[in-house]
Amino acid sequence: MLLKKPLSVVALVVLALATTVASGPVPSVPSVPKKRALFGGYNDPKCKPSSSKPNPIILLHGLLGNYREFSYMGPRFASLGYCVYSRDYGQIPGIPFLGGLNDLMDSAKELSKFVDDVLLATGATKVDIVGHSEGSTLPRVYLKYYNGVAKVDHFAAIGSNQYGTSLANIVTLLEAANLFGAVKGELSDLCKACFQLTVGAPFLDKLAEGGDTYPEVKYLMLVSK
């Protein structure tokens, strides 16, 4: 599939580079010992939550990312005594390493199973979710369509994307050049989620119907310049 659409591959690579640069590095937390934070404790299938930290943390990467996006943050949570997990979601067959590409409904189904697996393994009753970029939109899909409200206690987001994104201003530039339709045609099979996440996308309008939040879930949305 990739070889048949070389322009699509180039566009996807450009998008990956742009969104990676826009994301930036995760700042250091000096209070946590660095060596312990970087090695061990992350994605530990034998981890059991403590009474003071009863909810496992699930970390969700952004568009074109994968679970390695949290190779620094994940172990730091673990070093503080949390059971913390992450996995790839939304991959398209034939496209290695880049996650978050598939339809958000399919990705939410993956998330639903992952949450159930984590709850079963840890014996916990609810999880806390921390999502970055697309990972801040995906939990809303899970909450609304897959009974996630009953299984999520806290939902925090970094670089929160709730009302659409310009994909690091790429969409804005393409629209100004009257090229958005052509690029969408090239990429629609390779990045289904891309066009569910952009500003004005019908998917986001439907997701917002009935309200953005649920009273059973505690929310924290973090953004910066």
Side-chain angles (χ1 to χ4, degrees):
M1 176 175 65
L2 290 179
L3 294 177
K4 292 180 180 179
K5 302 187 80 175
L7 290 178
S8 300
V9 178
V10 172
L12 199 60
V13 170
V14 170
L15 184 59
L17 291 173
T19 53
T20 299
V21 171
S23 297
V26 177
S28 173
V29 182
S31 61
V32 181
K34 186 173 183 181
K35 183 173 289 188
R36 184 183 176 192
L38 291 173
F39 302 100
Y42 176 42
N43 273 338
D44 180 1
K46 297 181 180 180
C47 184
K48 297 299 179 183
S50 64
S51 57
S52 62
K53 298 177 176 65
N55 298 333
I57 296 176
I58 291 181
L59 302 172
L60 297 176
H61 62 75
L63 180 66
L64 304 171
N66 55 51
Y67 81 95
R68 295 172 184 82
E69 187 174 312
F70 294 104
S71 60
Y72 183 73
M73 184 182 293
R76 291 180 83 83
F77 273 121
S79 73
L80 294 172
Y82 292 95
C83 293
V84 56
Y85 304 91
S86 185
R87 56 156 290 166
D88 296 347
Y89 68 84
Q91 290 188 303
I92 296 287
I95 303 179
F97 309 117
L98 303 180
L101 299 172
N102 205 8
D103 188 291
L104 280 164
M105 291 297 291
D106 292 331
S107 293
K109 186 175 182 179
E110 290 183 53
L111 175 58
S112 178
K113 184 181 185 306
F114 187 50
V115 169
D116 289 346
D117 289 345
V118 167
L119 292 177
L120 181 63
T122 59
T125 58
K126 288 193 173 186
V127 300
D128 294 336
I129 292 178
V130 178
H132 167 237
S133 190
E134 181 185 0
S136 73
T137 307
L138 180 61
R140 291 181 57 209
V141 183
Y142 168 59
L143 291 171
K144 182 167 186 173
Y145 297 109
Y146 289 93
N147 193 35
V149 173
K151 301 172 185 178
V152 175
D153 191 8
H154 299 83
F155 167 32
I158 304 165
S160 178
N161 171 43
Q162 302 304 334
Y163 302 114
T165 175
S166 65
L167 298 174
N169 291 319
I170 292 176
V171 172
T172 305
L173 293 173
L174 291 175
E175 287 179 337
N178 200 29
L179 292 173
F180 180 69
V183 172
K184 182 177 180 179
E186 283 289 322
L187 285 179
S188 57
D189 290 337
L190 299 181
C191 188
K192 299 175 183 179
C194 287
F195 305 101
Q196 294 175 310
L197 293 167
T198 53
V199 176
F203 183 88
L204 293 180
D205 291 339
K206 186 174 181 180
L207 183 61
E209 289 178 358
D212 300 320
T213 62
Y214 297 90
E216 300 91 336
V217 180
K218 306 172 188 70
Y219 294 83
L220 176 65
M221 303 289 110
L222 302 175
V223 296
S224 76
K225 294 182 180 180

